[in-house]
Amino acid sequence: MRVLSWNLFHGRAEPPAGRPLLHEFAVALRDWPWDVALLQEVPPWWPPALARASGARWRAARTSRNGCLPLRRAIAARRPDWLKSNGGGANAILVRGGLRVDADASAVLRTRPERRVAHALRIADPRGGPFDGAWIGNVHAQLGAWDDHGGMDAPAADLALALERLRQWSGSGDAPVAILGGDLNLPAPAVQERLPAGWLRACSHGPDHVLCVGAGPARRGGTLERGSLSDHAPIAVDLRRG
């Protein structure tokens, strides 16, 4: 199963494009190979359109700066670089390739200084594939030293709580498979030293990571070419069970 993680930078480009980029983001996601896409900093009205373009099913959880969202959307949908992160935010999970959403769950990790959410779903594979019943989580952790906000305590606490929530949701069945990806706002060594027993880093680039238990990388993951879209490169990795 191929897992992709990408922070969409609130639908903006670097350098700024000065115009809406929903079409460009949707085409990029449509054309890359993946089974599960974990997306952060998504404009809250984008997930249905991204899913339609990719032939995917979707679930989303709103994060921060969503008060008076109709007004924010009216501006950000036309001039995303004016409001930047103040256009509203969400995390979204897309699944395709025959996979279905069997259940989903979310938990608030913190409300200050910004609302951060762990969001996950359980996938069903009608073909009875190796990841049938696996839980897949998505998180965007609080800013820390990675973004010059001082220290790693806040993002590390978000990571620990997200892992605990995912453990609770996935239960303790026979050899459960769980995957957590997203923008953790932590460098790879800091993530590695905080992983519970059995968990491993399947793919990392900068603050973006894909972690898993009960599975591992089938081959080395890496970044995808995205031109000027976002200030984060998407990462993707092929996972195999066991």
Side-chain angles (χ1 to χ4, degrees):
M1 182 175 72
R2 187 167 178 82
V3 177
L4 176 150
S5 180
W6 194 18
N7 181 318
L8 303 193
F9 195 42
H10 297 281
R12 298 158 53 214
E14 185 62 44
R19 59 182 178 84
L21 296 171
L22 173 56
H23 175 74
E24 287 81 355
F25 277 92
V27 169
L29 282 166
R30 179 198 68 192
D31 291 346
W32 289 322
W34 51 267
D35 299 296
V36 177
L38 308 174
L39 309 176
Q40 308 88 44
E41 290 193 1
V42 184
W45 56 94
W46 274 26
L50 297 177
R52 282 195 302 271
S54 294
R57 295 175 170 86
W58 66 277
R59 294 290 189 275
R62 291 184 182 178
T63 52
S64 61
R65 308 183 191 188
N66 287 306
C68 302
L69 187 58
L71 177 59
R72 293 176 188 264
R73 176 177 180 175
I75 300 171
R78 295 168 176 81
R79 295 288 188 270
D81 296 310
W82 285 7
L83 290 186
K84 301 180 179 179
S85 60
N86 285 303
N91 295 339
I93 305 176
L94 278 56
V95 300
R96 65 180 182 184
L99 299 177
R100 299 175 181 173
V101 179
D102 190 41
D104 70 300
S106 63
V108 176
L109 303 178
R110 66 172 64 241
T111 57
R112 295 178 182 274
E114 289 188 294
R115 189 173 189 267
R116 302 287 176 170
V117 175
H119 175 224
L121 54 80
R122 184 175 63 205
I123 58 172
D125 187 347
R127 302 158 298 188
F131 288 93
D132 182 39
W135 277 87
I136 304 178
N138 186 22
V139 67
H140 183 194
Q142 182 60 41
L143 302 177
W146 189 272
D147 294 273
D148 298 323
H149 280 70
M152 289 189 278
D153 290 347
D158 288 353
L159 171 60
L161 186 51
L163 287 167
E164 173 59 21
R165 291 292 178 265
L166 193 55
R167 184 194 66 79
Q168 294 171 353
W169 296 329
S170 61
S172 56
D174 295 334
V177 175
I179 299 162
L180 179 67
D183 178 356
L184 304 184
N185 273 313
L186 291 168
V191 172
Q192 185 66 44
E193 67 187 24
R194 289 169 170 82
L195 289 181
W199 281 81
L200 58 83
R201 280 188 309 108
C203 185
S204 296
H205 178 74
D208 303 299
H209 308 271
V210 174
L211 317 174
C212 56
V213 63
R219 58 187 62 84
R220 184 182 179 89
T223 61
L224 304 174
E225 174 55 46
R226 92 284 189 188
S228 63
L229 296 178
S230 182
D231 62 343
H232 288 244
I235 61 173
V237 60
D238 292 301
L239 300 179
R240 63 185 175 191
R241 179 119 185 211

